[in-house]
Amino acid sequence: MIELQDVFKVYKNGEIETIALKNINLRINKGEFISIMGPSGSGKSTLMHIIGLLDRPTGGKYLLDGQDVSKLKDEELSKLRNKKIGFIFQAFFLLPRKNVLENVILPSIYSDLKQSSRKEKAIESLKESAFPLNFIYHYPNQLSGGMMQRVAIARSLINDPEIILADEPTGNLDTKTGEFVLHTFQRLNIEKGITIILITHEEYVAEHAEKIIRIKDGEIISQEKVKNRKILHHNNENY
Amino acid sequence: MKTIDLIKESFDSLKSNKLRTGLTILGIVIGIAAVISMISLGEGSKISIQKSIESLGSNNLIVFPGIIQPGRGFVSSGRGEAQVLKKADVEEIEKIDNIVAISSEIQRRFQVIAETGNNRNVIILGVNIGFFTVRNMEIENGNLFSDEQIRNYSKVAILGSQIANDLFGDNDPIGKKIKIKNLTFKVIGILKAKGSTGFVSYDDFIIIPYTVMQKQLAGTEYFNSIAVKVNSKENIQKVREEIINRLTILHRVDEPDFTVFSQEDILSTLTSIINTFTIFLSFIAGVSLLVGGIGIMNMMLTSVTERTKEIGLRKAVGAKNNDILNQILLESIFITLLGGILGILLGLLISYGVSKIANITTYISLKSILASVIVSTGVGLIFGYYPAKKASNLDPIVALRYE
């Protein structure tokens, strides 16, 4: 469970202070699928970084599963990220020198996962992200955008995260493959109970979540349930 | 993060730019090879000097006339001008215990003509019987002087192997005549070849009884030097003090008007000269190692900058600062370690080549190999640390946004 209490984030650049987030009070339960929406510069990325333990709030408290993480050391944050959080980025961020399998395995080398079970676990993750298994020895530059995002999803799954943070995951994809990725998130959310936090500026994408949190000028302006949620069809996902 | 993963990740990164890695390794190879070959040259010359000095006879003390001032060395002392060592000195030294043999020596340079008509300007050394024991001289052919021959001013000569060859060529010189400054000498023996000892080569000398030398050739009663062979290393210092005391009293002087050298003195002087030289050469070689180290730093900085996004991603998925630090450090250590090993091999090859082609003794000790492995790894650590630290301190958010 994610709980933010009166979270502030101020960036200092010399004399100038920029308030990126103010008074953020937010609660995301385990197994929820939410979207964070807002125009660029609204602070949604900062919020994602704080939730994703890549950044610390300037003020306020962040409780992750009841633990106050706002004062933890870098080392401990790394450990928590590795264990609990999977990241998906707009630009995929696959390592070009590593093949699909190696890319998926990457987070596990920083975890306790035994070396002998890595490959098996990676293949399992690739199956869950619906990646075609005959491509696992290909390199990222040999894959389409949709496939690369699947690799990234598999990579985020390898350490069995509680939370997946997806930052504009469909931004670099066409509508159809984007839809497909969103459906994958829904499936992971339902089948594995993973909390999904989707950051986007597109209404259509946001509507795949159960709840939309709107943010503007560093403040939450609304939290509402999605009325006509775009839900996946439970038939076979062939890519 | 497990060590095996660390090694694999480091290795993968290095492999991804083989040319750059190779060139950086080359920088270290050259540096280490230069250091190794310079040290091997220095060590080699030390050993060859040591050997040649020991071949002159060990546990020797040499008494020279005149005082050798500290700092001026003994080559430039102008010892030929001081004349203090006489037969009485030899007899005085004979009274001292623990002495195996005494060699009283007087040398001059004369024109020598052989029966064959060949002539040379040669150093003639007048000696007593003790000379052969003290200076480790052996006869290859013919005979040594007898006591009678020395006492009776016999005109007999023993030739160094080189001079024998120069004067007589293929002919056997034994029994033949040579003329030294109008006096005719009979050749009775040839010395065993010894090679150069660094300063003198007895192979080029002609040895005659000191009595003839003093009386008929040089016209003096003085010696150039008296060499003393002591029975054991432990007694050298004692004998030296005894000689100084006795001769000072004999000469009726307050301060000794002669100098006593031990072979260790000469050896240590030479060794210290060679050491200085080796350090100097190694220092120059070390500069190239330093340049190699800077090459590593340069490469690692470039590579860290290129991999900013990758580092950001690694951190996002859970790499700790230390994981990144260790990976980058290991990459640079790997470069220097491989460079070090190849450099040692190249250094061995160079010193082998030098010793074959230039006929110079080279010696590579295990110590110098270990030292260069440690030094090169150290270079990797030192020059890899800054880039590694820089990489590990990257803010993952900034790194992921880096274009």
Side-chain angles (χ1 to χ4, degrees):
Chain A
M1 192 181 69
I2 293 163
E3 208 176 342
L4 280 82
Q5 299 172 351
D6 301 322
V7 162
F8 267 82
K9 182 69 194 182
V10 180
Y11 289 112
K12 256 191 186 167
N13 193 351
E15 290 292 293
I16 307 154
E17 284 192 353
T18 318
I19 301 175
L21 293 174
K22 51 190 165 191
N23 262 330
I24 301 287
N25 282 290
L26 183 65
R27 206 183 140 103
I28 301 167
N29 290 317
K30 192 167 164 35
E32 268 192 289
F33 188 156
I34 64 146
S35 287
I36 297 175
M37 272 200 76
S40 61
S42 60
K44 63 183 192 300
S45 286
T46 307
L47 184 58
M48 176 197 146
H49 292 146
I50 287 175
I51 294 173
L53 303 173
L54 290 168
D55 206 351
R56 292 186 187 83
T58 318
K61 261 191 179 179
Y62 172 15
L63 302 174
L64 179 61
D65 295 327
Q67 183 189 12
D68 186 0
V69 293
S70 35
K71 298 282 183 300
L72 288 183
K73 283 191 221 136
D74 281 357
E75 289 256 308
E76 294 163 305
L77 290 181
S78 296
K79 220 173 193 172
L80 279 179
R81 279 202 298 273
N82 184 247
K83 216 163 131 182
K84 296 197 168 176
I85 300 168
F87 287 94
I88 316 277
F89 302 95
Q90 179 174 3
F92 322 126
F93 292 148
L94 302 180
L95 301 188
R97 302 278 178 189
K98 290 184 181 290
N99 66 27
V100 168
L101 198 61
E102 290 164 337
N103 264 291
V104 175
I105 285 172
L106 185 73
S108 75
I109 69 172
Y110 300 110
S111 76
D112 300 329
L113 189 65
K114 264 193 281 173
Q115 193 166 10
S116 51
S117 26
R118 282 181 198 162
K119 189 181 171 185
E120 193 187 333
K121 186 80 206 203
I123 288 179
E124 196 185 305
S125 303
L126 282 162
K127 274 183 192 160
E128 271 161 6
S129 74
F131 184 85
L133 292 185
N134 44 336
F135 284 88
I136 61 169
Y137 295 110
H138 282 58
Y139 285 83
N141 61 2
Q142 297 167 307
L143 303 177
S144 68
M147 280 168 97
M148 284 200 265
Q149 200 57 299
R150 274 163 203 287
V151 177
I153 293 170
R155 181 179 64 194
S156 76
L157 290 172
I158 190 152
N159 285 340
D160 294 320
E162 291 172 14
I163 304 158
I164 285 180
L165 274 173
D167 187 6
E168 303 277 7
T170 59
N172 280 5
L173 304 177
D174 62 54
T175 318
K176 197 177 152 237
T177 45
E179 180 105 319
F180 195 77
V181 164
L182 292 169
H183 286 172
T184 308
F185 287 145
Q186 287 181 333
R187 184 167 45 77
L188 291 169
N189 177 244
I190 292 163
E191 287 176 4
K192 304 196 74 168
I194 300 172
T195 310
I196 312 271
I197 300 170
L198 189 65
I199 287 112
T200 182
H201 65 276
E202 283 180 84
E203 194 73 37
Y204 170 79
V205 172
E207 282 172 354
H208 286 76
E210 300 166 322
K211 200 162 106 182
I212 297 178
I213 295 167
R214 288 179 204 276
I215 183 166
K216 200 182 170 194
D217 297 329
E219 283 180 292
I220 293 174
I221 50 171
S222 72
Q223 297 191 36
E224 68 209 38
K225 280 225 161 212
V226 178
K227 287 184 192 100
N228 302 312
R229 191 180 181 206
K230 303 209 162 24
I231 205 111
L232 76 124
H233 312 286
H234 256 298
N235 50 19
N236 211 10
E237 292 181 28
N238 277 320
Y239 184 69
Chain B
M1 192 178 185
K2 293 186 194 77
T3 317
I4 175 94
D5 291 321
L6 200 61
I7 292 168
K8 199 181 162 294
E9 292 300 313
S10 302
F11 198 70
D12 279 354
S13 319
L14 289 175
K15 241 176 25 187
S16 72
N17 202 327
K18 289 196 187 78
L19 181 66
R20 187 165 67 191
T21 307
L23 287 173
T24 313
I25 289 174
L26 187 64
I28 295 298
V29 169
I30 292 169
I32 289 289
V35 171
I36 281 272
S37 45
M38 288 307 140
I39 291 176
S40 80
L41 216 62
E43 295 283 311
S45 13
K46 244 193 276 184
I47 286 169
S48 77
I49 291 266
Q50 204 161 346
K51 266 192 192 152
S52 59
I53 284 186
E54 270 164 13
S55 78
L56 281 180
S58 45
N59 301 338
N60 284 5
L61 288 167
I62 303 165
V63 187
F64 288 117
I67 304 158
I68 287 139
Q69 269 149 19
R72 285 187 58 199
F74 82 113
V75 178
S76 61
S77 65
R79 66 174 194 260
E81 286 142 40
Q83 307 248 306
V84 290
L85 302 175
K86 292 197 282 194
K87 193 145 185 278
D89 295 79
V90 179
E91 283 159 2
E92 191 66 23
I93 294 170
E94 271 168 1
K95 295 177 191 160
I96 301 169
D97 290 336
N98 299 318
I99 287 177
V100 179
I102 301 170
S103 164
S104 48
E105 299 154 4
I106 167 166
Q107 66 178 61
R108 293 289 187 273
R109 200 173 254 285
F110 291 114
Q111 198 69 24
V112 175
I113 306 166
E115 265 181 29
T116 51
N118 291 337
N119 73 88
R120 289 280 187 283
N121 193 290
V122 189
I123 294 170
I124 315 293
L125 194 60
V127 304
N128 64 352
I129 284 291
F131 168 81
F132 299 95
T133 316
V134 175
R135 299 291 191 182
N136 276 357
M137 288 295 156
E138 283 171 66
I139 293 291
E140 171 92 52
N141 243 331
N143 294 304
L144 278 180
F145 307 132
S146 66
D147 276 336
E148 286 75 25
Q149 283 170 325
I150 291 177
R151 238 181 289 126
N152 298 336
Y153 302 86
S154 300
K155 292 193 215 34
V156 286
I158 295 172
L159 306 185
S161 57
Q162 184 59 45
I163 198 70
N165 195 47
D166 287 350
L167 291 175
F168 292 96
D170 292 335
N171 301 322
D172 181 12
I174 305 286
K176 301 261 166 48
K177 300 272 181 339
I178 55 171
K179 238 181 185 174
I180 306 173
K181 200 193 169 191
N182 301 324
L183 289 180
T184 304
F185 284 73
K186 189 175 139 199
V187 177
I188 61 163
I190 310 289
L191 285 179
K192 207 175 244 177
K194 276 213 138 164
S196 172
T197 58
F199 330 96
V200 289
S201 169
Y202 288 115
D203 298 353
D204 289 334
F205 281 32
I206 292 175
I207 319 264
I208 59 171
Y210 78 93
T211 45
V212 190
M213 181 66 156
Q214 282 185 332
K215 190 126 190 184
Q216 289 177 280
L217 285 175
T220 175
E221 53 176 329
Y222 293 101
F223 293 110
N224 289 101
S225 58
I226 300 171
V228 175
K229 193 182 193 74
V230 182
N231 62 0
S232 78
K233 230 185 180 99
E234 293 73 49
N235 291 324
I236 288 179
Q237 205 47 38
K238 220 167 71 189
V239 172
R240 170 193 229 154
E241 279 161 24
E242 189 91 343
I243 291 174
I244 292 172
N245 288 338
R246 280 172 181 268
L247 296 194
T248 309
I249 294 165
L250 183 73
H251 294 176
R252 296 169 209 265
V253 285
D254 298 331
E255 290 289 310
D257 51 358
F258 55 90
T259 308
V260 184
F261 268 111
S262 70
Q263 239 155 13
E264 277 68 33
D265 293 339
I266 299 170
L267 197 62
S268 73
T269 307
L270 284 174
T271 308
S272 83
I273 292 169
I274 292 170
N275 276 347
T276 312
F277 200 59
T278 308
I279 288 167
F280 174 70
L281 287 176
S282 308
F283 177 76
I284 292 174
V287 170
S288 64
L289 192 59
L290 184 75
V291 174
I294 293 168
I296 289 184
M297 187 130 128
N298 196 1
M299 169 193 160
M300 295 317 294
L301 282 174
T302 312
S303 138
V304 163
T305 309
E306 278 176 4
R307 284 188 286 167
T308 302
K309 269 201 160 96
E310 174 185 332
I311 292 162
L313 177 83
R314 282 178 189 270
K315 285 192 146 188
V317 301
K320 299 185 187 82
N321 289 0
N322 271 344
D323 293 332
I324 303 292
L325 183 86
N326 291 342
Q327 182 183 331
I328 309 287
L329 260 189
L330 205 67
E331 285 175 26
S332 78
I333 288 173
F334 178 78
I335 287 176
T336 46
L337 203 63
L338 188 64
I341 291 166
L342 292 177
I344 288 166
L345 293 178
L346 184 64
L348 288 172
L349 210 68
I350 289 171
S351 69
Y352 178 78
V354 165
S355 70
K356 281 285 149 197
I357 295 165
N359 202 18
I360 296 170
T361 317
T362 56
Y363 177 75
I364 295 174
S365 61
L366 191 65
K367 206 171 68 185
S368 68
I369 289 179
L370 283 180
S372 37
V373 170
I374 291 167
V375 165
S376 64
T377 313
V379 165
L381 262 174
I382 291 164
F383 288 97
Y385 187 78
Y386 174 69
K389 194 71 195 165
K390 199 178 160 199
S392 75
N393 284 343
L394 275 175
D395 181 345
I397 301 166
V398 178
L400 284 171
R401 281 202 194 122
Y402 181 84
E403 289 303 331

